[in-house]
């Protein structure tokens, strides 16, 4: 039987004691990283990047509203009209927030955000980062991963709606689109496109 000892931080330890000491050191470092991580998230999300994301989201909502106003004007006498919705996406896991709740917290004054809300925000982005890193097998640069996670365009999705005279407004699905006439299909594609370009140029 052989006995091994190691020197760690000037102390002589057997292998079992060394293992316990290293586990404690790892736990302590993880706690320190977690605290620094939290501070970084709070500073960036609530006070720096968060304000820019809020501005972009608000601008995008105004843009969508202008698109719909232009389309409404273009389709005044049409028996088939279209609309555009920019919908919030649902959470993909228990750790993540619904987009509506995420935007609500980001819109708050950082000084009024409660610890519970701050924790939920941080856990949301930690979960997103972890998923992104695992999905890409850590091959992408960390800055690229951060960019994807903070890209607010991924938090929403565009949905088209249609309405015939005398009927309720409905979501335009692929199945509905497939039975449209050639002219109706053309209107579906070109009216929103031209309205979006016009709204963008006007802004």
């Amino acid at each position: 039987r052989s006995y091994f000892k190691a020197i760690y931080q000037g102390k002589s330890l057997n292998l079992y004691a060394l293992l316990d000491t290293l586990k404690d050191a790892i736990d302590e470092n993880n706690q320190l990283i977690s605290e620094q991580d939290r501070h970084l998230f709070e500073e960036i999300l609530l006070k720096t990047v968060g304000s820019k994301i809020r501005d972009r989201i608000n601008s995008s909502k105004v843009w969508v509203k202008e698109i719909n106003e232009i389309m409404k004007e273009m389709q005044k006498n049409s028996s088939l009209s279209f609309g555009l919705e920019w919908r919030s996406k649902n959470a993909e896991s228990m750790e993540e927030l619904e987009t509506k709740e995420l935007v609500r917290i980001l819109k708050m004054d950082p000084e009024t955000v409660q610890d519970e809300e701050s924790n939920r925000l941080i856990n949301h982005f930690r979960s997103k980062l972890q998923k992104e890193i695992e999905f890409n097998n850590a091959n992408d640069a960390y800055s690229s991963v951060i960019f994807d996670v903070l890209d607010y365009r991924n938090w929403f999705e565009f949905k088209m709606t249609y309405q015939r005279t005398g009927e309720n407004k409905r979501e335009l699905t692929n199945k509905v689109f497939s039975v449209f006439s050639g002219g109706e299909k053309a209107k579906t594609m070109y009216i929103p496109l031209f309205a979006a370009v016009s709204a963008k140029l006007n802004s």
Side-chain angles (χ1 to χ4, degrees), residues 61-76 82-84 195 199:
K61 287 183 176 180
V62 170
W63 178 57
V64 172
K65 182 179 178 182
E66 290 177 354
I67 291 173
N68 280 310
E69 289 175 353
I70 292 171
M71 286 199 292
K72 184 178 179 180
E73 185 66 26
M74 293 169 66
Q75 303 171 114
K76 269 185 176 179
F82 302 98
L84 187 66

Side-chain angles (χ1 to χ4, degrees), residues 23 34 51 75 124 130 166 197:
K23 284 182 177 178
S34 179
S51 63
Q75 303 171 114
H124 169 85
Q130 189 61 38
V197 172

Side-chain angles (χ1 to χ4, degrees), residues 23 25 27-28 30 35 68-69 77 84 91-93 103 116 126 128-129 131 135 142 150 154 158 163-164 189 191 198:
K23 284 182 177 178
D27 290 340
E28 186 178 339
N30 284 338
E35 291 174 0
N68 280 310
E69 289 175 353
N77 301 316
L84 187 66
E92 297 177 356
S93 70
V103 173
E116 180 185 354
R126 276 181 179 158
K128 284 287 190 183
L129 278 172
K131 277 186 181 178
F135 179 77
Y142 192 66
L150 294 180
N154 297 326
F158 282 106
Q163 185 174 17
R164 294 188 184 277
M189 292 183 287
I191 288 178
S198 178

Side-chain angles (χ1 to χ4, degrees), residues 19-62:
L19 180 61
D20 290 339
T21 302
L22 290 176
K23 284 182 177 178
D24 290 341
I26 290 171
D27 290 340
E28 186 178 339
N29 282 334
N30 284 338
Q31 179 64 27
L32 182 61
I33 290 172
S34 179
E35 291 174 0
Q36 292 174 337
D37 190 37
R38 175 186 176 82
H39 176 71
L40 182 65
F41 270 112
E42 286 181 338
E43 286 295 316
I44 290 177
L45 293 173
L46 294 176
K47 298 181 181 178
T48 311
V49 175
S51 63
K52 295 188 180 298
I53 293 175
R54 290 194 297 269
D55 292 343
R56 292 291 180 91
I57 290 174
N58 289 335
S59 295
S60 297
K61 287 183 176 180
V62 170

Side-chain angles (χ1 to χ4, degrees), residues 5-18:
K5 285 196 172 184
I7 305 296
Y8 180 74
Q9 294 184 342
K11 295 180 180 179
S12 177
L13 303 171
N14 63 43
L15 291 183
Y16 295 106
L18 177 63

